[in-house]
Amino acid sequence: KEEPHLFHIKGSVKSNTLRLTQVPLRRDYMNSGDVFVLSTGDDGVWMWVGKEANKDEKVKGTQVAKALTSKGSVEVLDEGVNDGPEEAEAFWKHIQTKVSVLGPIKRTVNIQGADNKDEKGKAFVPVLYKTPDTLGERFDRVGRAQPTATGPTNVKLPKLKKSYLQEDDVLLLDTGFHVYIWVGTKANPSMKSLAVHHADSYFKSMKRPILPVSIVKQDMESAKFSDFFVEDTGGCCMIM
């Protein structure tokens, strides 16, 4: 059975600081200024919303929570509204509310106040890797997204070159909130069969949060996946 995971969504789009991290299943790692998503596998997905969380955190938290839901719906818990120990018992049973101090002695830990650090830190930069032929081997970086002017207003968003998607490859795209395994039409059958397992290997070897995973086949890409790529312009992205 899948272990529970608690994800912390923090930051804002305007300041380019919106990001996701995985935190311990403890109440004192939660705070009133952000959004937290709890995934427990088959049991369900909860989104806990701090009373001072901003709009961007709520929107991204909703997207992450929905992506983690295999069946049923996301239960939204608003701080001070419907997140009490009795009404949200199913949520709190996964979150540690007391910690050992000395032997059998325990102390209660509480939700922290908002830290007002939404404008600090940096958003995760999407990165594309080529999956190895054998599980456990190194992931080779193909490219890293670069700020690219898009749309009529020329707003700069992180984009990767579409030419990186070669038909004989199986690639892994980490957006910071979601992982996509892209499978080329002429990829080796043995590599195709390892696609999902590569995600698990990536999370462990790169010490990344266990993010939602989607398999994407060439010529059947979703709009969400395709939005991270642009046609080559000669100066979009860099290989590292």
Side-chain angles (χ1 to χ4, degrees), residues 182-183 185 215-223 225-226:
W182 182 87
V183 182
T185 53
I215 305 297
V216 179
K217 295 182 179 180
Q218 185 177 4
D219 300 328
M220 297 176 67
E221 293 90 347
S222 65
F225 174 85
S226 299

Side-chain angles (χ1 to χ4, degrees), residues 152-169:
T153 58
N154 286 325
V155 174
K156 288 192 173 183
L157 297 173
K159 301 287 183 180
L160 289 148
K161 290 182 180 181
K162 196 172 181 180
S163 62
Y164 287 153
L165 304 175
Q166 296 295 312
E167 61 185 7
D168 56 349
D169 286 336

Side-chain angles (χ1 to χ4, degrees), residues 17-34:
T17 57
L18 192 61
R19 58 202 183 276
L20 176 152
T21 55
Q22 189 171 336
V23 296
L25 293 156
R26 280 178 43 164
R27 189 162 59 182
D28 55 337
Y29 277 82
M30 300 168 63
N31 75 76
S32 297
D34 300 325

Side-chain angles (χ1 to χ4, degrees), residues 14-210:
K14 184 178 180 180
S15 61
N16 192 34
T17 57
L18 192 61
R19 58 202 183 276
L20 176 152
T21 55
Q22 189 171 336
V23 296
L25 293 156
R26 280 178 43 164
R27 189 162 59 182
D28 55 337
Y29 277 82
M30 300 168 63
N31 75 76
S32 297
D34 300 325
V35 169
F36 294 81
V37 174
L38 173 68
S39 172
T40 61
D42 295 337
D43 293 334
V45 175
W46 291 262
M47 183 173 81
W48 184 89
V49 183
K51 57 188 176 184
E52 295 182 46
N54 67 45
K55 180 182 177 181
D56 293 338
E57 292 164 344
K58 294 176 184 178
V59 170
K60 183 56 70 175
T62 300
Q63 293 173 353
V64 171
K66 287 183 176 179
L68 288 165
T69 308
S70 57
K71 58 183 179 180
S73 58
V74 176
E75 185 169 348
V76 179
L77 302 176
D78 291 300
E79 183 181 11
V81 178
N82 63 338
D83 69 334
E86 294 183 0
E87 55 193 332
E89 182 181 1
F91 172 82
W92 291 115
K93 75 177 184 180
H94 298 288
I95 306 295
Q96 192 175 358
T97 57
K98 292 184 178 182
V99 296
S100 297
V101 178
L102 183 62
I105 301 175
K106 292 188 176 184
R107 68 177 176 86
T108 299
V109 290
N110 299 306
I111 293 166
Q112 303 297 301
D115 60 14
N116 299 316
K117 293 182 179 179
D118 286 352
E119 308 306 311
K120 296 182 179 180
K122 290 185 178 180
F124 182 88
V125 178
V127 61
L128 187 69
Y129 294 93
K130 183 174 181 179
T131 62
D133 295 334
T134 305
L135 280 177
E137 292 185 351
R138 195 182 84 172
F139 286 81
D140 290 326
R141 181 181 289 181
V142 175
R144 184 180 178 189
Q146 294 296 302
T148 306
T150 58
T153 58
N154 286 325
V155 174
K156 288 192 173 183
L157 297 173
K159 301 287 183 180
L160 289 148
K161 290 182 180 181
K162 196 172 181 180
S163 62
Y164 287 153
L165 304 175
Q166 296 295 312
E167 61 185 7
D168 56 349
D169 286 336
V170 175
L171 304 174
L172 184 150
L173 171 65
D174 185 348
T175 72
F177 297 96
H178 201 113
V179 161
Y180 295 91
I181 306 291
W182 182 87
V183 182
T185 53
K186 295 185 179 180
N188 187 302
S190 63
M191 291 177 67
K192 291 181 182 180
S193 65
L194 292 174
V196 176
H197 302 292
H198 276 308
D200 293 332
S201 176
Y202 171 77
F203 295 142
K204 293 176 182 177
S205 63
M206 305 298 277
K207 297 182 179 179
R208 294 286 293 136
I210 300 176

